[in-house]
Amino acid sequence: MTTAIHLNGAARYRPPWVPLLWCAPALLMITIWSVGPFVGTIALSFTDTSPLGMGGAFVGLDNYRSILQDPAFWSATGNSVLYAVIAVPLLVVLPLLLAQLVHTRLPGMGFFRSAYAAPIVASVVAVGLVWQNLLGEQGPVNTVLQRVGLIQQAVPFLSEGSLILLSAIALTVWRGLGWYLIFYLAALSNIPRELYEAAELDGAGPTRRFLTISVPGTRLTMLLVGLLAGIGSLRVFSEVYLLGGATGGPGGEARTLPFFIRDAALDPLTGNAGYGAAVSVALFTLTAVFAVLAQRFGGERDA
């Protein structure tokens, strides 16, 4: 079937490359600010450039060989992967449950929608300082746990590596709830309400309606949230820095890959910008693998 297209005089004689010309400024900016630094990082990873920009001799694959034999690199990689493994499922499921709750038409739900979205506008620094006070050994969390008899002595949330990591994950999940809640509310609003009413007439309870209507109806949103949460978890830095300090906890036990990159590349005494660039490429590769696996898993579920 042929579709008739009526063009006015100006459009009829417009060269086909004119739309490409309109896109040229955006493509130029992307090339300058994204593609250029990425290519520069790859090139830097084959050198031994100092943090001050001196040196820069070509060393081939030495930096990559070094990171494979560096226990600190593997420790940071393990922390980043653990961070993603714990945070991503929570950031996929909890906002969906909250969205389903506040999506119901009950009095007062507008307040809860605003309350859950509040962390979005809060500065991560301000939030980190609040959580430092909450999780301190003399803070409200330890005080409450001791008074109800769950613990005998204060839990070192901010002074033990594994607990710092778990505390940072909790902070990340808390900050992400409101953001991803908005995604799920948009997806739920696109599901016809008649489906819920028909299921209710058939005797389906709230749990069954959630599992058979809401979950399938938000599957693509769940994939998007999982993808964004995974990439964000692998790149996390601020939460660990605010709760664990500049060293990433005692002995750097809670350091993630971005933390390790900072230490490896920017230390003025022992840093090596080329080595840090090689770790950055490794982090990019890990993130790309995660993104491909997430899309492939989501594609198989949709097939």
Side-chain angles (χ1 to χ4, degrees), residues 126-187:
V127 170
L129 293 175
V130 171
W131 277 64
Q132 278 184 1
N133 292 324
L134 287 175
L135 299 178
E137 295 194 4
Q138 304 299 325
V141 173
N142 271 315
T143 301
V144 171
L145 292 178
Q146 285 176 315
R147 288 190 177 179
V148 300
L150 291 179
I151 57 175
Q152 298 299 321
Q153 56 185 0
V155 178
F157 289 110
L158 305 179
S159 57
E160 188 176 314
S162 58
L163 292 178
I164 292 173
L165 206 60
L166 292 176
S167 300
I169 291 172
L171 174 55
T172 298
V173 172
W174 179 77
R175 293 191 68 235
L177 283 179
W179 180 252
Y180 297 124
L181 173 71
I182 295 175
F183 284 48
Y184 283 122
L185 282 176

Side-chain angles (χ1 to χ4, degrees), residues 7-301:
L7 301 176
N8 58 30
R12 185 180 304 165
Y13 298 106
R14 185 174 60 198
W17 49 264
V18 170
L20 296 178
L21 187 62
W22 295 342
C23 298
L27 291 176
L28 181 62
M29 291 297 103
I30 291 173
T31 302
I32 293 175
W33 300 111
S34 296
V35 179
F38 178 70
V39 174
T41 299
I42 293 177
L44 184 64
S45 69
F46 296 105
T47 70
D48 60 354
T49 305
S50 75
L52 299 178
M54 296 183 290
F58 181 76
V59 296
L61 296 175
D62 285 356
N63 287 328
Y64 291 96
R65 294 192 190 97
S66 297
I67 63 174
L68 293 177
Q69 301 170 359
D70 191 345
F73 167 77
W74 289 112
S75 175
T77 302
N79 286 339
S80 290
V81 173
L82 178 65
Y83 207 102
V85 167
I86 297 177
V88 172
L90 293 175
L91 285 171
V92 170
V93 175
L94 292 181
L96 176 59
L97 295 174
L98 287 177
Q100 181 67 43
L101 181 65
V102 301
H103 187 61
T104 56
R105 296 178 177 176
L106 294 176
M109 281 301 168
F111 167 77
F112 289 100
R113 290 188 185 191
S114 302
Y116 289 134
I120 297 175
V121 299
S123 164
V124 63
V125 177
V127 170
L129 293 175
V130 171
W131 277 64
Q132 278 184 1
N133 292 324
L134 287 175
L135 299 178
E137 295 194 4
Q138 304 299 325
V141 173
N142 271 315
T143 301
V144 171
L145 292 178
Q146 285 176 315
R147 288 190 177 179
V148 300
L150 291 179
I151 57 175
Q152 298 299 321
Q153 56 185 0
V155 178
F157 289 110
L158 305 179
S159 57
E160 188 176 314
S162 58
L163 292 178
I164 292 173
L165 206 60
L166 292 176
S167 300
I169 291 172
L171 174 55
T172 298
V173 172
W174 179 77
R175 293 191 68 235
L177 283 179
W179 180 252
Y180 297 124
L181 173 71
I182 295 175
F183 284 48
Y184 283 122
L185 282 176
L188 289 173
S189 64
N190 290 326
I191 299 176
R193 187 161 292 277
E194 291 77 9
L195 292 178
Y196 291 101
E197 296 172 352
E200 190 173 1
L201 289 175
D202 288 340
T207 303
R208 187 177 171 188
R209 293 199 298 273
F210 173 75
L211 294 176
T212 59
I213 299 176
S214 298
V215 172
T218 58
R219 182 178 299 165
L220 291 179
T221 305
M222 293 171 69
L223 174 61
L224 175 63
V225 169
L227 189 60
L228 294 176
I231 293 173
S233 297
L234 292 174
R235 296 169 52 192
V236 73
F237 176 85
S238 301
E239 287 86 342
V240 178
Y241 183 91
L242 290 168
L243 297 183
T247 60
E253 292 180 355
R255 287 195 303 177
T256 56
L257 274 176
F259 230 100
F260 182 75
I261 292 171
R262 183 207 62 169
D263 294 342
L266 301 180
D267 190 315
L269 298 179
T270 62
N272 182 337
Y275 187 74
V279 180
S280 299
V281 174
L283 175 59
F284 169 79
T285 305
L286 180 63
T287 305
V289 169
F290 172 81
V292 171
L293 291 177
Q295 290 186 337
R296 185 161 188 171
F297 176 75
E300 290 177 353
R301 291 290 301 273

